Amino acid sequence: MKKKTGSKSPLCLGTFIYHKPSIWNVYQEETFVLNRRLRGITSLSIEVAHKIHIKGFSFQRKEKAYETLYAVDADRIYGDSFTMRSDRVEGIGNNVSLEFLNMDFKDRGFAKLTICGRSAMDRNTIHIRFQNDKGNVNEIAEFVHSDEYGEQSFSLTSVTGMQTVTFLFLPGSNFDFKWFRFE
C-alpha cells in the first residue's frame, strides 16, 4: 500500500500477502498493520500482481497517547531554530515547542516517558507541559549526552484525561528528537 503525499513520491506503507483461499462470491476479512500512521485525508493506492475485488477498508483508531509518536508528526512545531528531517527534528534550539494535541490518557495515566533522541550537550533540559481545561502540569526531563540516537526513560507526574502535550526547549538547547512514548 502506498500513501500519496502531494507532489512528493509515494511512500510505501508495507508489503502484505493475503493468504486466505479463494471462496466464490465471499469477501474474507484480513488485518494488516501499516508501517506508518495515516493522518487526515489521504490518498491510498494498492499495487497488486493479480486481479482482486475489495469490499472496503476500515481503520482502527489508535490510542495516540500510548503510541510511539515521531517528533516530525507534531500537530504544531514552532520556534527559533530547528531542522525537519523525514523522521525526526534536529538542531532543536532556542524557544522551540512541539505540540501534540488530543492526547487522551483516560483514567489510567502513565508510569514513564521514553524519549529517543540525541544530545551533544552533557544534559539537555526538556520541559514537558500537559495542558487541559483544568490547568497545566509542568515537568522536566534531563536528557544526558549521547553521540548516537538512543532511548532514555523518565518518571514524571502522571496526568489523566484529554491533554495537549508540549515539549519545550529553552535557550541553550541543542537536541535531536526522533520519537517518544508514554507507558
Side-chain angles (χ1 to χ4, degrees):
M1 291 186 186
K2 295 182 179 181
K3 173 187 173 190
K4 186 175 180 183
T5 55
S7 62
K8 298 179 185 177
S9 62
L11 174 67
C12 182
L13 298 173
T15 301
F16 310 104
I17 298 174
Y18 183 80
H19 290 289
K20 294 184 178 175
S22 179
I23 302 173
W24 173 253
N25 211 22
V26 174
Y27 291 98
Q28 300 176 76
E29 188 173 304
E30 184 65 79
T31 301
F32 299 107
V33 178
L34 305 178
N35 63 16
R36 183 99 177 174
R37 189 181 168 123
L38 297 178
R39 296 176 58 176
I41 298 172
T42 303
S43 295
L44 184 68
S45 300
I46 299 174
E47 185 177 306
V48 297
H50 306 287
K51 180 181 175 181
I52 63 171
H53 294 265
I54 297 174
K55 185 176 182 181
F57 290 98
S58 64
F59 292 91
Q60 179 183 11
R61 181 176 288 275
K62 298 290 186 175
E63 291 187 43
K64 181 180 177 182
Y66 301 106
E67 292 292 312
T68 297
L69 299 176
Y70 285 83
V72 296
D73 292 333
D75 294 293
R76 280 179 256 187
I77 301 176
Y78 53 92
D80 294 343
S81 66
F82 60 91
T83 303
M84 301 286 286
R85 302 284 183 215
S86 63
D87 67 343
R88 63 196 178 277
V89 180
E90 292 186 333
I92 297 173
N94 189 32
N95 295 325
V96 174
S97 295
L98 288 85
E99 287 186 7
F100 293 83
L101 306 174
N102 303 316
M103 301 282 283
D104 191 356
F105 293 99
K106 305 199 181 302
D107 292 332
R108 68 181 190 207
F110 57 87
K112 69 178 179 177
L113 165 65
T114 300
I115 295 175
C116 180
R118 178 173 62 186
S119 175
M121 302 166 43
D122 287 339
R123 292 188 174 279
N124 203 107
T125 302
I126 304 170
H127 294 260
I128 301 112
R129 176 176 296 143
F130 301 93
Q131 184 176 3
N132 65 14
D133 57 352
K134 297 176 185 163
N136 297 337
V137 174
N138 296 304
E139 292 287 324
I140 292 178
E142 295 282 337
F143 200 97
V144 297
H145 174 80
S146 174
D147 289 327
E148 301 297 325
Y149 279 91
E151 299 174 20
Q152 295 182 27
S153 295
F154 308 93
S155 294
L156 305 177
T157 301
S158 183
V159 296
T160 58
M162 191 65 74
Q163 303 282 334
T164 294
V165 178
T166 304
F167 293 88
L168 178 62
F169 299 85
L170 297 180
S173 290
N174 183 8
F175 191 68
D176 298 333
F177 196 174
K178 193 163 189 177
W179 57 262
F180 69 94
R181 178 179 56 246
F182 289 98
E183 301 173 67

